[in-house]
Amino acid sequence: MEVFEQWESEIRGYCRAYPTVFASASNARQTDEQGKEYIDFFAGAGVLNFGHNNPRMKEALIKFLQEDGVSHSLDMATSCKREYIQAFADTILIPRKMNYKMQFMGPTGTNAVEAALKLARRVTGRSEVVAFSQGFHGMTLGALACTANNYFRNAAGVPLNNVTHVPFETSKGGGLENLEAVKAAYLSGSSGNDLPAAFMVETIQAEGGVNIASQEWLQAVQQMAHELGALFIVDDIQVGCGRTGQYFSFEDLHIDPDIICLAKGIGGYGTPLAMNLIKPEHDAHWKPGEHTGTFRGQGISFIAGREGLRYFENDELMQQTRKRSAMMTEFLESLSQKYSDGKFVVRGKGLIHGIDVADNDLAKGIARQCFDDGLLIGPCGVTSRVIKFIPPLTANDDDLSQGLEIFAQAVAKKVGG
Ligand SMILES: Cc1ncc(COP(=O)(O)O)c(C=O)c1O
């Protein structure tokens, strides 16, 4: 690790929690330079939904490189971009009867959020936005203003203005009653806040602790947004792209966002790509090139991302994800019973799960023990006491059960029993 310590910025994060140098990776496994193998239940925080070095994608990428495909094009039209757009429309939008325009921007989640905020402000002519406690939306200033965590906010160095945070459904004070109060205050004309341009929400707060919003609550947020003349934006950057056992995290929730932010997994291979889906009537407010970004047209991301879309041509992977979800819930619930008399709280949908062990030192200790024993997994949540499970959707059965077993043993070592 000396090279990293000597030359890389103090900003280093994950390499401190997982202090080894990884040399290769395949599906749900990473191998370090000493040849030690780790099962990856972290999956690039939702980037590697289709595993490390997915063979279908690798093959398509090698072909693309050998044929001198256009790797970079700003946002000029290319064959690979057309193929991605057409495949996204055919595989995802049309079967769901969804009518959205696709906007590509700089290829990270925070770029998608910035673009969504700008557009909502443009459409409504308003500057305020409502976001939620424990939400995570990125690190650039506009998105950071929507992110709730003070550790990140304090790094901004400037005031993070124009965003009001209200309690997420599962936060203290949150829920339908609270939404009613927020709405009534806005409608009364004396909330003390200007009317918002948008409500920005995650259906499942992944970084925030795997907090899952209910259908009723999300519908109420959407309805409030529209009653107040604001846009309803869903940030599906971490829990979209198949993570919950359906392409979008909200398909079973009967909501209809004005803008859907996507990134991470849509690039497929760890190849960066971000995209907003925008209702055409809102998209019409953009002027050409108004929100640019040099890396809007990455050929290799379109090629890998297009291969990723093939997993949604039938329901096989999603069915398997839903089945595994039930298995994972059951496994974690039984651990909670065994080691905490059911006090550890288990939450999850599809292949994102969290177990709240109610103590951040314990969560850190378990994660460290897992690392020592060959499992990559990490704590999340405001007080870092929720251990998050987010393995590749394509992980094989053995890796999945071995990873859970390593976790169970780590809990046993740290909690006893
Ligand atoms: C829900 C959500 N939104 C936005 C982001 C920011 O994405 P990026 O780190 O690619 O900028 C993340 C990253 O974890 C996220 O989970």
Side-chain angles (χ1 to χ4, degrees), residues 53-73:
N53 289 308
N54 180 289
R56 293 190 201 175
M57 295 178 190
K58 185 158 57 174
E59 197 182 319
L61 286 169
I62 289 169
K63 183 164 176 285
F64 176 75
L65 294 174
Q66 275 175 340
E67 289 173 357
D68 281 338
V70 181
S71 284
H72 177 82
S73 69

Side-chain angles (χ1 to χ4, degrees), residues 130-410:
V130 177
F132 293 90
S133 58
Q134 305 198 33
F136 186 94
H137 299 284
M139 291 291 107
T140 50
L141 291 180
L144 186 56
C146 293
T147 292
N149 189 322
N150 277 341
Y151 181 73
F152 299 123
R153 295 174 65 85
N154 288 341
V158 292
L160 296 169
N161 292 328
N162 303 115
V163 177
T164 302
H165 282 89
V166 301
F168 188 72
E169 182 177 16
T170 56
S171 298
K172 204 170 164 54
L176 289 172
E177 234 174 82
N178 173 259
L179 288 186
E180 277 304 318
V182 171
K183 186 166 78 179
Y186 273 121
L187 289 173
S188 74
S190 80
S191 65
N193 295 316
D194 292 337
L195 282 171
F199 285 72
M200 163 78 72
V201 70
E202 296 158 271
T203 61
I204 300 173
Q205 294 185 321
E207 296 300 308
V210 193
N211 307 314
I212 304 176
S214 69
Q215 172 173 318
E216 295 70 29
W217 187 82
L218 286 165
Q219 286 177 341
V221 175
Q222 173 175 285
Q223 194 182 335
M224 163 159 58
H226 291 161
E227 276 178 42
L228 297 176
L231 269 57
F232 177 56
I233 304 174
V234 169
D235 177 346
D236 228 20
I237 287 166
Q238 187 156 162
V239 295
C241 197
R243 176 54 56 189
T244 60
Q246 48 197 347
Y247 188 83
F248 298 105
S249 67
F250 52 82
E251 282 178 48
D252 53 343
L253 302 177
H254 309 287
I255 54 173
D256 185 24
D258 294 293
I259 303 178
I260 304 161
C261 302
L262 295 170
K264 292 191 187 262
I266 63 166
Y269 199 76
T271 37
L273 188 64
M275 171 171 73
N276 280 347
L277 300 176
I278 307 169
K279 291 259 165 114
E281 63 272 27
H282 303 315
D283 184 66
H285 289 259
W286 279 130
K287 297 196 187 97
E290 229 180 355
H291 183 86
T292 72
T294 304
F295 296 102
R296 275 173 293 167
Q298 297 314 296
I300 56 168
S301 302
F302 289 130
I303 291 290
R306 195 270 167 271
E307 290 305 309
L309 290 168
R310 292 193 202 281
Y311 284 101
F312 301 93
E313 286 171 359
N314 60 49
D315 202 36
E316 221 171 276
L317 182 68
M318 294 298 91
Q319 251 180 38
Q320 175 182 281
T321 302
R322 295 191 290 271
K323 250 193 358 229
R324 286 174 161 184
S325 177
M327 183 272 284
M328 196 177 262
T329 306
E330 201 181 312
F331 187 93
L332 295 177
E333 290 284 8
S334 80
L335 266 190
S336 168
Q337 284 304 334
K338 186 163 173 194
Y339 294 106
S340 75
D341 285 331
K343 288 195 196 74
F344 294 168
V345 178
V346 176
R347 298 185 283 270
K349 184 174 181 183
L351 276 180
I352 176 163
H353 274 67
I355 180 164
D356 183 344
V357 298
D359 174 340
N360 65 339
D361 283 337
L362 177 59
K364 210 164 142 189
I366 293 171
R368 178 59 204 220
Q369 186 67 53
C370 287
F371 173 75
D372 292 343
D373 296 344
L375 173 69
L376 302 175
I377 196 163
C380 64
V382 176
T383 51
S384 295
R385 55 183 232 184
V386 180
I387 302 170
K388 184 172 70 168
F389 295 70
I390 182 168
L393 307 177
T394 52
N396 63 44
D397 286 336
D398 284 351
D399 285 353
L400 214 53
S401 47
Q402 201 178 323
L404 288 174
E405 209 35 60
I406 294 173
F407 180 76
Q409 282 165 19

Side-chain angles (χ1 to χ4, degrees), residues 89-101:
D90 290 344
T91 315
I92 306 298
L93 296 181
I94 294 169
R96 291 166 180 75
K97 300 189 173 43
M98 292 170 77
N99 185 20
Y100 286 92
K101 291 278 203 148

